[in-house]
Amino acid sequence: MTSAGTVMVVIGTRPEAIKLAPVILALRAQLLSVRVCLTGQHPEMAAEALGPFGILADVNLALMRPGQSLAKLTERAVGALALLLARERPAWVVVQGDTTSALAGAIAARQVGIPVAHVEAGLRSFDLAQPYPEELNRTLIARLATLHFAPTPGSQANLRAEGVPETAIEVTGNTVVDALRQMLGELPVRRQTKRRLVLATLHRRERRETAFPQIMGALAAIAARGDVDLLLPRHPSCSPETYASLDALPAARLVPPMPYPDFVAALADAHLVITDSGGIQEEASALGIPTLIVRALTERPEVVEAGTALIVDTVRDSILAAATRLLDDHAAHRSMAIASTRIGDGKAADRIARRLRDELRAAQRPAA
């Protein structure tokens, strides 16, 4: 197809790559022309995340620089994407979630006059400072998008309340469930051990100085119990000093960012998840893994409503008490260990692809 029927998918981070991979595959299954553009916001990690899905990027803008501020990244990303889009003129630009790359892709597309489809639209914490800058990015993208693919009825309601037309919103489910289900069928051999696995992921930038010492203190106490293994992938934006309190503990295993299939295997094997991340709240809920959210609030209230997740904020004693209860009280753990379908049913990408296919066909139909 010519560029008039092409969809450009903009990806900046590893989570975006994971959540957009099923969309790319579904678009191609509809025989649509798809161009995949990496901004380089997560250098190498995004491309590696696409690998298990058999997807290669068509363009890598490689925009990251050491010590680069959010403002500078946004400026460079908007400029580079605007030039690329003006040259290639796709019919649609697809962005996902709430990253700086997603916002830059939406701004650049609208500046060039190309409609934007926003995957995972409508999530809200209703506090621009938490998570930062994600809540800000996501609400700005909503003002720029033409199509809003809301993962849940709750996110649909948020968009309606902001004045987004009903015809521009489609409830699809979250594509992370699509990705998760695909990877579950390709899991490596499960680990053989009697010690329960506690999986932790931490990276929130807005409260690192104040919150991380408390969270790490709780994780150190959990790892010192003697009856669990703690697995914590290091985040590339966190300094080595962040994890110093865990380095000497035999039961704490700190690893580089994990390939997605290996991460899914660890998640499926986990007894408990402790996280400040967004996507893992959804993945753990879909698998029925009890999750403690070490934040003051979440833009994914469905996981709490489903009973699979609990917000415990960032105070050491609060985290430790909640984790201890779930590790020692089998009934409490069992009450949260119920897989939920509130996040999605594994068919979100197909719904998104069909809607974009229909939009493309309508645009190409001769006027009456």
Side-chain angles (χ1 to χ4, degrees):
M1 298 178 72
T2 66
S3 60
T6 297
V7 177
M8 175 75 78
V9 179
V10 175
I11 298 172
T13 66
R14 170 191 159 116
E16 287 170 274
I18 291 167
K19 291 185 175 184
L20 284 173
V23 177
I24 294 167
L25 297 176
L27 288 168
R28 288 176 175 166
Q30 292 291 340
L31 303 181
L32 300 178
S33 174
V34 183
R35 295 275 288 167
V36 178
C37 172
L38 300 182
T39 66
Q41 185 174 339
H42 277 182
E44 297 158 359
M45 288 174 63
E48 290 171 358
L50 291 174
F53 297 94
I55 298 170
L56 296 175
D58 299 292
V59 181
N60 191 334
L61 299 176
L63 294 174
M64 284 304 291
R65 300 291 182 271
Q68 185 167 239
S69 67
L70 287 173
K72 192 63 178 178
L73 173 61
T74 305
E75 174 191 341
R76 298 184 70 239
V78 170
L81 285 166
L83 287 173
L84 175 67
L85 295 173
R87 182 172 68 247
E88 299 208 5
R89 301 301 307 182
W92 282 87
V93 168
V94 175
V95 300
Q96 192 278 332
D98 53 17
T99 69
T100 299
S101 292
L103 175 60
I107 293 172
R110 293 309 298 256
Q111 287 179 339
V112 177
I114 298 170
V116 175
H118 187 198
V119 175
E120 199 183 73
L123 278 66
R124 296 290 183 271
S125 72
F126 304 103
D127 182 344
L128 291 180
Q130 297 185 76
Y132 178 82
E134 288 83 357
E135 179 75 2
L136 174 65
N137 291 344
R138 200 187 290 273
T139 55
L140 291 173
I141 294 170
R143 301 297 299 271
L144 298 166
T146 304
L147 276 180
H148 306 254
F149 293 118
T152 66
S155 51
Q156 178 190 39
N158 292 337
L159 292 166
R160 283 176 179 158
E162 294 171 5
V164 177
E166 187 70 36
T167 55
I169 308 170
E170 183 156 346
V171 178
T172 61
N174 199 301
T175 60
V176 75
V177 179
D178 301 37
L180 185 65
R181 289 192 175 187
Q182 180 170 337
M183 287 300 108
L184 283 172
E186 304 169 14
L187 284 180
V189 176
R190 300 283 291 274
R191 67 189 200 118
Q192 299 295 319
T193 178
K194 293 181 180 179
R195 292 160 66 95
R196 293 165 296 173
L197 178 66
V198 177
L199 175 62
T201 65
L202 301 164
H203 76 286
R204 293 254 57 87
R205 73 174 67 232
E206 63 267 17
R207 297 177 70 184
R208 278 181 193 167
E209 292 186 6
T210 57
F212 272 28
Q214 292 276 324
I215 299 170
M216 292 299 172
L219 294 181
I222 293 166
R225 285 172 53 102
D227 62 347
V228 301
D229 290 322
L230 175 71
L231 176 62
L232 175 59
R234 297 177 184 266
H235 195 276
S237 67
C238 295
S239 68
E241 291 76 19
T242 302
Y243 309 101
S245 62
L246 300 175
D247 285 334
L249 295 174
R253 185 159 64 98
L254 279 66
V255 299
M258 301 170 70
Y260 188 56
D262 294 343
F263 179 80
V264 170
L267 178 61
D269 198 37
H271 187 80
L272 173 65
V273 168
I274 301 174
T275 187
D276 67 3
S277 306
I280 192 173
Q281 297 176 38
E282 299 159 337
E283 292 163 315
S285 182
L287 291 177
I289 312 298
T291 300
L292 299 180
I293 303 170
V294 287
R295 287 164 51 178
L297 43 76
T298 180
E299 65 278 25
R300 296 164 167 85
E302 292 85 0
V303 300
V304 177
E305 294 163 1
T308 55
L310 179 67
I311 297 173
V312 293
D313 212 328
T314 60
V315 178
R316 176 191 180 279
D317 290 348
S318 174
I319 299 166
L320 184 56
T324 299
R325 179 170 177 264
L326 290 171
L327 290 168
D328 292 345
D329 185 336
H330 297 304
H333 185 276
R334 190 166 53 249
S335 70
M336 293 181 66
I338 301 172
S340 171
T341 58
R342 284 176 178 249
I343 295 300
D345 61 0
K347 300 177 182 178
D350 289 337
R351 297 184 182 102
I352 291 167
R354 287 197 297 269
R355 177 64 183 266
L356 284 171
R357 176 203 63 193
D358 293 345
E359 294 287 338
L360 285 165
R361 287 177 176 173
Q364 294 169 355
R365 197 174 297 132

